[in-house]
Amino acid sequence: MLATSEHPLYLLPFLLIALPHQVTCQWALQPETVSDASGNEADNGSSVTWAKTPPGEAYVTSTEYRTGYLTVPVVFAHCFINLVQPNAFPIDIVTGIVDNTFVFSRDYKQLLNYGVGIIICIVIGLLFAVLMPIIGCCFCCCRLAGKCGGKRVQKIGSNDCCKKIGYVVCLGVITTIIGFGAIGMFIANERMTDAVRNYNTSIRNSFDDLRRYLGNLGQELRHIGATNFNFTTEVISRDLDGRGFLVGIPVRDRLDESADVSAVISQLLGIGNTAGSVGDQLMYLSDSIAQLKNDSATLDQSFKDVRSTVDRAQRSPGCLVLCQNIDVSGLRLDVDFQNLNISSQLDAIEEVKSADLNGIILKGKETFDNIPSSIVEETENLVEDLKNSLRNFLAKIEDNLKGVLALPQKFDSQVVNIKSKVLNVIDMVVKYNTARWLACLCMTLVTALVVVLQVFGICLGVFGYRPSVKPIDRTALSNSGGNCLMAAVGLIKIFAGLMMLANVILFAVGSNAEKLICEAVVHDTQYTVIKKLLDGPGGILCPGCDTYTLGDLLLGNGTIPLRISETLENCRNNQPAYPTLKLQYLVNLSAVTDYRKEIDIDAKVNAMNVDLTGVELLPSKAMDELNELLVSTQMNYSSYNDTLSGNVTSANITDFIFALEAAANDSQDPAKSELLSASNQLKDIEHGIYKTVKQEQDLLFEAINVFYSRASELELRINDSINSTQIAERKIQTLGPAIVKEQVGWLAARLVTVADGFVNYSIHEIESNVGRCLSVWNIWQSLGDVAVCKYTVDTLNSFWVSIGCVLLLMVPSIIFDVKLAKHFRRMESTEQFDSRPIYPQDIVKTQAIPMAKNGKEKAKMFASSKITPIG
């Protein structure tokens, strides 16, 4: 039975299975996920998730406005203005003035058609302002002459109480409305003051927000163009640096699959492992042969000793016929075991073992496993060149964005004078606003004083009234109430004309501001006025110029056809900046995004070429060692079989023993003793050394045959492995370039997909999302609608509406004040005072009774009177 031994080389096939995984880990894509500070992220498949564009600096402009308590007067003012002035302002007049084509004698009808309603209202107001003082003066003169209710004599009627109640109710209603008008005047005045105070902040905020918008626009474009392309470059660089993993590993795996490299290497390593067992078997055979040689030599010597003993017996006396007939020449070895020699095979196997066949095979496999390293090393210069091209393109993007990034500075330089002039005007308005506030406050206070006098007059008159008291005896409270009402009449006569004059001015300014600024400019969704007067080229902002004002103001280039009307309409719809601000004149979108003109990623990557001629699965040294392994298994098996299959001796030892014993029985001493000694020697040989040699011969014969069968199998395996290895190497050389090209093409497509993803995303974002300009519309709304129209024009209109309503109601209040004062004031005399029905017999001629100054005079006056006082 063959002896076996443990050897660590049996683990190599398992190591071979684990080795590709270790190599794959070595070439893992690093980092697996690419991300940047802005939130962009790319996974291990280079699928990019783009982060939202940073919002930029926050805007401070607010469009919030609440009409509050001025809702009613504001609505009334709009309705009244549209009633008296329904026609729009003829913009062609302004265009004609700018172009010096306006002729008053020809075009005055357009102005008249536009302003006829306002002119009529102004004329009416001026007539009121002129006539009110005149009428008041005439009224005073009339009362001083004892007319117009100037006499303090009251005619008594049966329905005086009803009249008085009616007067009180009517005057109370009128006074209440006038009071609300005074409140409206006060609120409008304060709101106007707040508006003027906030002008400076609003203007600054608007200019600052416009600058912020341009700054944010530049930063958004820089994020889309530079930051995102830098991230794209990082992803591409990651993939290029990972070409060993993305190209090398797949190429190696596909070659392994196509050429069955792992199986070939496994076969070779299995043969390498067999070298150890072959050596062990040869060593066993060598030891067995040596033992057989030693034991056979001992057996041969024992046979010689027996022959010598028999020869002595035949020469000794007493050797008779049988003794003399014994032939011992056949008692010798018939097989020469000394010819058995496998030293050359042992030398060959020792050569194989010392050369480390498996180590050589693994080195050959290493040339295959190092395909990723070869790809990395051989394409290093090409990859670095591609990275440099990407960096150069990034620098070009930065250069193309300089025009937009410089917009805030250009804007500052363009508007610094405009901003300064506007703020100077605002400062002047704020300076003179105090006078306006005081004038409006005085009118408010006069109105409030009239209301207070009328309220006090009504309250004192009502609470001081006694039905049973005669007009000449009315209480001080009632008399004071009448005096308050007459004082209110006096105030109205004095200040109504001045207030109407101021109101005419405010109406003329406010109504035209509403029509010319708010309706025609701010609230016109067709932007008719802006198109004709402001868009350019030329217009009222720059008569005779061939440039566009907004293009010069915002973009620093008046040749850019940037129209105010188009910009406002787009910003009202929150459109992106690229089409709105016509940034194609500043930013070449193709230059920012079209990398193909500068970098042919596909061509550069496809230029990668890998030389696979260095891949040698079976090095020449390994081939030599395999041949040595074959030599170690080659021997003269037929000769060995003949030697080991023959008889050890041709003599039958048992028959020799019987013959010797028979001869000893027939012989006499001393021959008999010698023959018995030889017989005993043969018995010992037969059961001892002869049996051992025979067993060793049989075992060696069996071992040689087993070794022969295994050697034949090993020879077939070696030849098959060599053949398979050569086929695999030919496949690597023939299929390798096509597989490399295909995998490199896949990498190129992957990189191009990343780059095209950047292009498509950038174009979409720039054309659809970047710089949405609702903030610009909010600036326009904050300045035009909120600051000018709502805070200024609407407040101004609500003020003149409040004054107008107050003045309009003051006219009937004068009548009711005078009428009601007659019922509240103490009279000097009365024509009739009786609480009972008057009958004809009671009617007598009376004379005017003067008012008594005290009780005694009163009694005396009644005593002299022809009327008997009642009660």
Side-chain angles (χ1 to χ4, degrees):
M1 187 175 188
L2 283 176
T4 58
S5 64
E6 300 277 338
H7 198 285
L9 290 177
Y10 77 93
L11 295 174
L12 281 174
F14 302 99
L15 294 176
L16 179 65
I17 296 174
L19 190 58
H21 299 283
Q22 296 176 353
V23 175
T24 302
C25 293
Q26 175 188 356
W27 289 105
L29 196 62
Q30 295 294 333
E32 187 172 350
T33 300
V34 182
S35 60
D36 62 4
S38 62
N40 295 322
E41 187 173 303
D43 59 17
N44 56 1
S46 290
S47 178
V48 179
T49 301
W50 300 104
K52 291 184 178 180
T53 304
E57 192 175 355
Y59 302 103
V60 298
T61 298
S62 174
T63 58
E64 183 179 358
Y65 175 78
R66 294 181 180 178
T67 308
Y69 296 105
L70 297 181
T71 302
V72 174
V74 168
V75 172
F76 185 85
H78 289 171
C79 294
F80 183 78
I81 292 173
N82 291 329
L83 178 66
V84 301
Q85 196 174 14
N87 300 322
F89 184 81
I91 304 303
D92 295 336
I93 297 293
V94 181
T95 306
I97 294 174
V98 173
D99 297 338
N100 294 322
T101 59
F102 175 74
V103 179
F104 182 79
S105 60
R106 180 191 63 195
D107 301 326
Y108 75 93
K109 290 183 179 180
Q110 296 184 40
L111 288 174
L112 187 61
N113 184 49
Y114 159 75
V116 62
I118 292 180
I119 293 173
I120 292 174
C121 291
I122 291 174
V123 170
I124 294 174
L126 292 176
L127 288 176
F128 182 92
V130 172
L131 294 178
M132 180 57 76
I134 296 174
I135 294 173
C137 183
C138 294
F139 181 74
C140 291
C141 294
C142 182
R143 286 184 66 83
L144 289 175
K147 304 295 182 182
C148 303
K151 254 186 187 181
R152 301 185 70 176
V153 176
Q154 184 176 5
K155 292 180 180 182
I156 304 301
S158 60
N159 59 350
D160 285 351
C161 184
C162 293
K163 288 182 179 180
K164 182 173 65 175
I165 292 173
Y167 294 154
V168 168
V169 172
C170 292
L171 184 59
V173 172
I174 292 173
T175 301
T176 301
I177 297 175
I178 293 176
F180 280 115
I183 294 173
M185 292 168 62
F186 178 78
I187 294 174
N189 187 35
E190 292 302 314
R191 183 163 294 185
M192 179 69 75
T193 300
D194 293 339
V196 172
R197 289 174 180 172
N198 292 329
Y199 278 160
N200 199 305
T201 303
S202 298
I203 295 296
R204 291 182 186 276
N205 288 344
S206 298
F207 277 103
D208 292 343
D209 273 358
L210 197 54
R211 188 182 189 280
R212 286 189 189 96
Y213 171 76
L214 295 175
N216 290 342
L217 172 61
Q219 293 305 317
E220 289 182 20
L221 285 174
R222 185 171 189 175
H223 172 81
I224 295 295
T227 303
N228 284 359
F229 185 77
N230 186 54
F231 176 75
T232 303
T233 301
E234 291 180 7
V235 176
I236 293 176
S237 298
R238 187 273 307 265
D239 288 352
L240 288 174
D241 292 338
R243 59 194 180 277
F245 175 79
L246 297 175
V247 177
I249 297 297
V251 166
R252 187 189 66 192
D253 292 345
R254 291 181 62 184
L255 287 174
D256 186 5
E257 182 180 357
S258 300
D260 206 8
V261 174
S262 295
V264 169
I265 298 298
S266 181
Q267 288 179 357
L268 292 174
L269 289 175
I271 293 173
N273 292 337
T274 305
S277 63
V278 169
D280 293 340
Q281 294 175 35
L282 285 175
M283 186 58 66
Y284 172 77
L285 292 176
S286 177
D287 293 341
S288 298
I289 290 173
Q291 185 65 36
L292 180 60
K293 286 181 177 181
N294 290 333
D295 291 342
S296 64
T298 302
L299 179 60
D300 186 49
Q301 184 62 41
S302 298
F303 282 154
K304 287 181 180 180
D305 292 342
V306 172
R307 287 196 305 272
S308 298
T309 303
V310 173
D311 184 61
R312 287 197 305 272
Q314 288 178 341
R315 290 193 304 268
S316 300
C319 181
L320 301 179
V321 176
L322 292 177
C323 175
Q324 292 297 326
N325 291 330
I326 295 174
D327 183 8
V328 294
S329 60
L331 196 62
R332 65 182 69 253
L333 293 178
D334 290 338
V335 180
D336 186 6
F337 293 111
Q338 300 303 321
N339 294 327
L340 299 178
N341 186 3
I342 59 171
S343 59
S344 61
Q345 286 79 7
L346 283 173
D347 292 340
I349 197 64
E350 287 300 323
E351 171 66 23
V352 173
K353 291 170 68 175
S354 62
D356 188 12
L357 176 59
N358 276 342
I360 298 173
I361 294 172
L362 288 177
K363 286 183 179 179
K365 181 180 183 299
E366 186 177 349
T367 62
F368 177 77
D369 290 338
N370 284 340
I371 287 178
S373 298
S374 301
I375 290 176
V376 171
E377 293 171 0
E378 294 181 24
T379 59
E380 187 66 34
N381 293 334
L382 188 147
V383 168
E384 190 60 33
D385 179 60
L386 181 56
K387 288 182 179 180
N388 289 332
S389 299
L390 291 172
R391 285 190 285 267
N392 294 335
F393 187 72
L394 179 60
K396 186 175 181 180
I397 291 177
E398 293 279 2
D399 290 337
N400 277 278
L401 292 177
K402 284 182 179 179
V404 178
L405 296 176
L407 285 181
Q409 291 74 22
K410 291 182 179 180
F411 176 75
D412 286 342
S413 62
Q414 291 292 329
V415 304
V416 61
N417 293 330
I418 299 175
K419 183 178 179 181
S420 177
K421 291 178 181 179
V422 172
L423 291 178
N424 288 337
V425 173
I426 297 301
D427 291 340
M428 184 178 66
V429 171
V430 172
K431 179 180 178 181
Y432 290 104
N433 180 62
T434 303
R436 179 209 59 79
W437 178 80
L438 288 174
C440 294
L441 181 63
C442 288
M443 289 188 284
T444 303
L445 292 176
V446 168
T447 304
L449 183 57
V450 169
V451 172
V452 169
L453 289 174
Q454 290 178 339
V455 170
F456 269 96
I458 293 173
C459 292
L460 293 176
V462 170
F463 290 124
Y465 174 73
R466 299 290 183 270
S468 59
V469 177
K470 301 169 187 166
I472 59 175
D473 291 331
R474 286 175 179 152
T475 63
L477 281 178
S478 179
N479 187 58
S480 298
N483 291 334
C484 287
L485 294 177
M486 293 309 297
V489 173
L491 284 175
I492 293 172
K493 297 292 184 181
I494 295 172
F495 293 103
L498 294 176
M499 292 174 65
M500 180 55 78
L501 183 62
N503 201 42
V504 167
I505 297 173
L506 295 178
F507 168 73
V509 174
S511 60
N512 283 287
E514 175 68 24
K515 299 296 288 188
L516 296 178
I517 298 176
C518 297
E519 286 189 13
V521 179
V522 178
H523 298 153
D524 181 19
T525 57
Q526 301 301 320
Y527 309 103
T528 305
V529 175
I530 295 177
K531 288 178 180 178
K532 290 185 177 182
L533 301 182
L534 301 178
D535 272 351
I540 61 174
L541 297 179
C542 186
C545 297
D546 57 353
T547 58
Y548 294 87
T549 303
L550 191 60
D552 188 37
L553 181 66
L554 290 183
L555 308 180
N557 188 349
T559 61
I560 298 177
L562 186 60
R563 296 176 175 85
I564 299 175
S565 59
E566 292 181 4
T567 302
L568 289 176
E569 177 63 20
N570 288 333
C571 289
R572 183 167 70 95
N573 296 320
N574 198 23
Q575 294 298 310
Y578 193 80
T580 299
L581 300 183
K582 302 187 184 303
L583 294 182
Q584 62 268 27
Y585 291 94
L586 290 181
V587 180
N588 187 345
L589 188 57
S590 175
V592 173
T593 59
D594 191 3
Y595 66 93
R596 294 177 182 271
K597 293 182 178 179
E598 303 291 331
I599 313 168
D600 193 346
I601 296 178
D602 189 57
K604 285 183 177 292
V605 175
N606 279 307
M608 292 182 180
N609 192 17
V610 182
D611 184 11
L612 298 177
T613 57
V615 178
E616 190 177 12
L617 300 178
L618 189 63
S620 58
K621 178 66 175 174
M623 181 66 76
D624 295 340
E625 297 306 322
L626 287 177
N627 290 329
E628 287 293 326
L629 183 58
L630 283 176
V631 169
S632 68
T633 61
Q634 293 175 356
M635 58 185 70
N636 192 350
Y637 291 102
S638 59
S639 175
Y640 283 12
N641 284 334
D642 291 341
T643 301
L644 295 174
S645 62
N647 292 324
V648 176
T649 178
S650 59
N652 189 325
I653 297 178
T654 302
D655 291 343
F656 259 96
I657 293 173
F658 289 153
L660 290 174
E661 289 179 347
N665 292 330
D666 185 58
S667 301
Q668 299 179 353
D669 291 326
K672 183 179 181 177
S673 298
E674 292 292 339
L675 289 173
L676 290 174
S677 175
S679 174
N680 290 332
Q681 286 178 347
L682 279 178
K683 288 180 181 179
D684 292 338
I685 290 171
E686 182 182 19
H687 296 291
I689 189 64
Y690 176 79
K691 184 178 180 180
T692 299
V693 170
K694 187 61 178 176
Q695 288 177 345
E696 290 176 350
Q697 181 187 14
D698 294 339
L699 289 174
L700 185 58
F701 178 79
E702 182 182 355
I704 288 292
N705 286 320
V706 170
F707 183 79
Y708 172 73
S709 63
R710 293 184 177 179
S712 299
E713 180 185 351
L714 179 61
E715 182 177 3
L716 291 175
R717 288 174 59 195
I718 290 174
N719 292 331
D720 183 59
S721 296
I722 292 174
N723 185 49
S724 299
T725 303
Q726 291 173 344
I727 292 174
E729 288 180 345
R730 284 196 298 271
K731 285 185 177 181
I732 290 174
Q733 301 304 324
T734 55
L735 300 179
I739 293 176
V740 169
K741 185 176 181 180
E742 182 179 346
Q743 196 63 31
V744 166
W746 173 85
L747 176 61
R750 172 175 168 138
L751 299 182
V752 169
T753 300
V754 174
D756 287 345
F758 158 76
V759 172
N760 296 332
Y761 175 78
S762 299
I763 292 176
H764 175 267
E765 284 295 302
I766 291 175
E767 292 182 345
S768 303
N769 292 319
V770 170
R772 289 190 175 272
C773 58
L774 184 62
S775 56
V776 176
W777 172 257
N778 290 337
I779 293 171
W780 167 255
Q781 288 293 98
S782 176
L783 284 178
D785 187 43
V786 177
V788 175
C789 290
K790 288 185 170 61
Y791 266 109
T792 304
V793 177
D794 283 354
T795 304
L796 179 63
N797 289 337
S798 64
F799 191 84
W800 64 254
V801 164
S802 299
I803 297 179
C805 292
V806 166
L807 293 176
L808 183 65
L809 292 173
M810 279 182 177
V811 174
S813 74
I814 293 174
I815 298 173
F816 290 114
D817 282 338
V818 173
K819 291 289 186 181
L820 198 55
K822 200 75 168 177
H823 292 274
F824 287 163
R825 298 178 71 194
R826 185 182 296 132
M827 298 291 103
E828 294 178 354
S829 63
T830 181
E831 296 182 357
Q832 177 64 39
F833 183 80
D834 195 352
S835 60
R836 60 179 175 81
I838 301 175
Y839 301 99
Q841 62 269 24
D842 295 327
I843 299 175
V844 295
K845 188 176 181 181
T846 61
Q847 62 180 12
I849 303 173
M851 182 176 290
K853 297 180 180 179
N854 51 48
K856 291 182 180 181
E857 289 187 6
K858 183 177 180 182
K860 184 178 179 180
M861 289 166 57
F862 275 109
S864 62
S865 172
K866 295 180 179 180
I867 301 176
T868 303
I870 300 173

